[in-house]
Amino acid sequence: MSEIHIEHHKSKHARAALEGRKSPWGVLRELVVDMVPVILGILIALSFNSLKEAWKERREEEYYLRGLRKDLTEDLAELKSDVAQYRVKKKAAAYLLRYDLARNPASDSAYYYFRLLPGQTAPNITNATFVTLQSSGRLGLMKNKAVAGQLVLLYTDVVKGLTNITASFNDFKQTYLFDVWVTEFDYAQIDRTHDIRPVLQNRTVRNALHLLWFDEVIGRYQQAIAAHERIIAQLQQELP
């Protein structure tokens, strides 16, 4: 083979080798092209999982919001029933204080009003959903932080204050009205004759009737009712 031919052959192979060798930018370009589908797949998977978790959290939040609304609605009905009873008891106490013991004989009306006073009326709050949220640390599920804050205030302040004042009221009434009635009078005979004048003449009983703080109790109930109504309306807006 002639030298010219050999040189030409070598040159041809050298050019082929150079052409076959990839530049760094070419390698990078191919790598990027290969990685794009992988990256897109990962991003789509992450987005899907994120949407799935968001949907799951929203369904869980709705579940608890509905539970809160149900509890609050039931409590609201009971609070309104309780405050109606306190208004009746207040009317009964006022009637007995106006009752003219000197001029009026034994009266069925007086006996009726006196019998309205016994019995302890106190809030029976159904806060199971709130307790579950708070004790499990899931109160943060509620996106509306203002409503969550109002719920905390309702159960830790408003309801607690109402419970305390009704407990004090009922204890006072029991001690200074009905324990006196039972221990100092023949209540079985009073039930037969309906003559409560001896009871109303008792200084302890009359003082207790004067001191009963109906207005304060009713005011606390009205505060709790207003708070329940406000939160129920806000929960209604949060639910679909």
Side-chain angles (χ1 to χ4, degrees), residues 28 90 105 113 143 162-163 169 172 176 178 193 203 236:
L28 180 60
K90 178 185 175 182
Y113 279 116
K143 300 295 187 296
L162 176 60
T163 301
F169 182 93
F172 178 88
Y176 294 101
F178 301 105
T193 63
R203 184 180 298 274
Q236 190 64 41

Side-chain angles (χ1 to χ4, degrees), residues 89-159:
K89 292 177 189 292
K90 178 185 175 182
K91 180 180 178 181
Y95 176 89
L96 293 172
L97 287 171
R98 292 194 308 269
Y99 190 72
D100 191 334
L101 298 174
R103 299 177 59 183
N104 291 334
S107 166
D108 286 342
S109 296
Y111 174 77
Y112 166 77
Y113 279 116
F114 190 79
R115 292 296 286 163
L116 285 177
L117 289 174
Q120 298 194 359
T121 302
N124 182 22
I125 300 299
T126 309
N127 60 346
T129 304
F130 175 79
V131 170
T132 300
L133 279 170
Q134 192 174 49
S135 61
S136 64
R138 301 192 64 74
L139 202 56
L141 273 175
M142 295 183 64
K143 300 295 187 296
N144 192 326
K145 303 306 178 188
V147 176
Q150 288 181 45
L151 281 166
V152 173
L153 183 65
L154 172 68
Y155 288 117
T156 60
D157 183 47
V158 177
V159 169

Side-chain angles (χ1 to χ4, degrees), residues 22 24-41:
K22 296 178 180 176
W25 289 110
V27 173
L28 180 60
R29 185 169 55 250
E30 288 188 6
L31 181 62
V32 169
V33 171
D34 291 339
M35 289 298 294
V36 164
V38 177
I39 294 171
L40 286 175

Side-chain angles (χ1 to χ4, degrees), residues 12-26:
K12 183 178 179 182
H13 279 283
R15 285 197 303 271
L18 288 172
E19 290 174 359
R21 187 183 301 168
K22 296 178 180 176
S23 68
W25 289 110

Side-chain angles (χ1 to χ4, degrees), residues 192-240:
R192 289 193 300 272
T193 63
H194 291 188
D195 186 1
I196 65 162
R197 288 175 298 173
V199 180
L200 295 179
Q201 288 170 342
N202 182 278
R203 184 180 298 274
T204 301
V205 171
R206 289 198 70 81
N207 287 340
L209 287 172
H210 275 290
L211 291 172
L212 286 173
W213 50 98
F214 285 105
D215 289 337
E216 289 83 352
V217 174
I218 291 171
R220 289 297 185 101
Y221 265 100
Q222 290 173 331
Q223 181 186 9
I225 288 170
H228 276 70
E229 289 176 337
R230 181 171 58 253
I231 296 173
I232 289 171
Q234 291 174 324
L235 289 174
Q236 190 64 41
Q237 294 177 354
E238 295 292 316
L239 288 166

Side-chain angles (χ1 to χ4, degrees), residues 68-87:
L68 288 167
R69 183 180 63 180
K70 179 176 179 293
D71 291 349
L72 289 165
T73 302
E74 292 176 355
D75 291 343
L76 178 60
E78 176 155 340
L79 290 172
K80 288 182 176 181
S81 174
D82 285 358
V83 78
Q85 291 182 48
Y86 273 102
R87 289 192 175 106

Side-chain angles (χ1 to χ4, degrees), residues 32-51:
V32 169
V33 171
D34 291 339
M35 289 298 294
V36 164
V38 177
I39 294 171
L40 286 175
I42 292 172
L43 291 175
I44 291 171
L46 289 174
S47 298
F48 176 78
N49 287 334
S50 177
L51 289 172

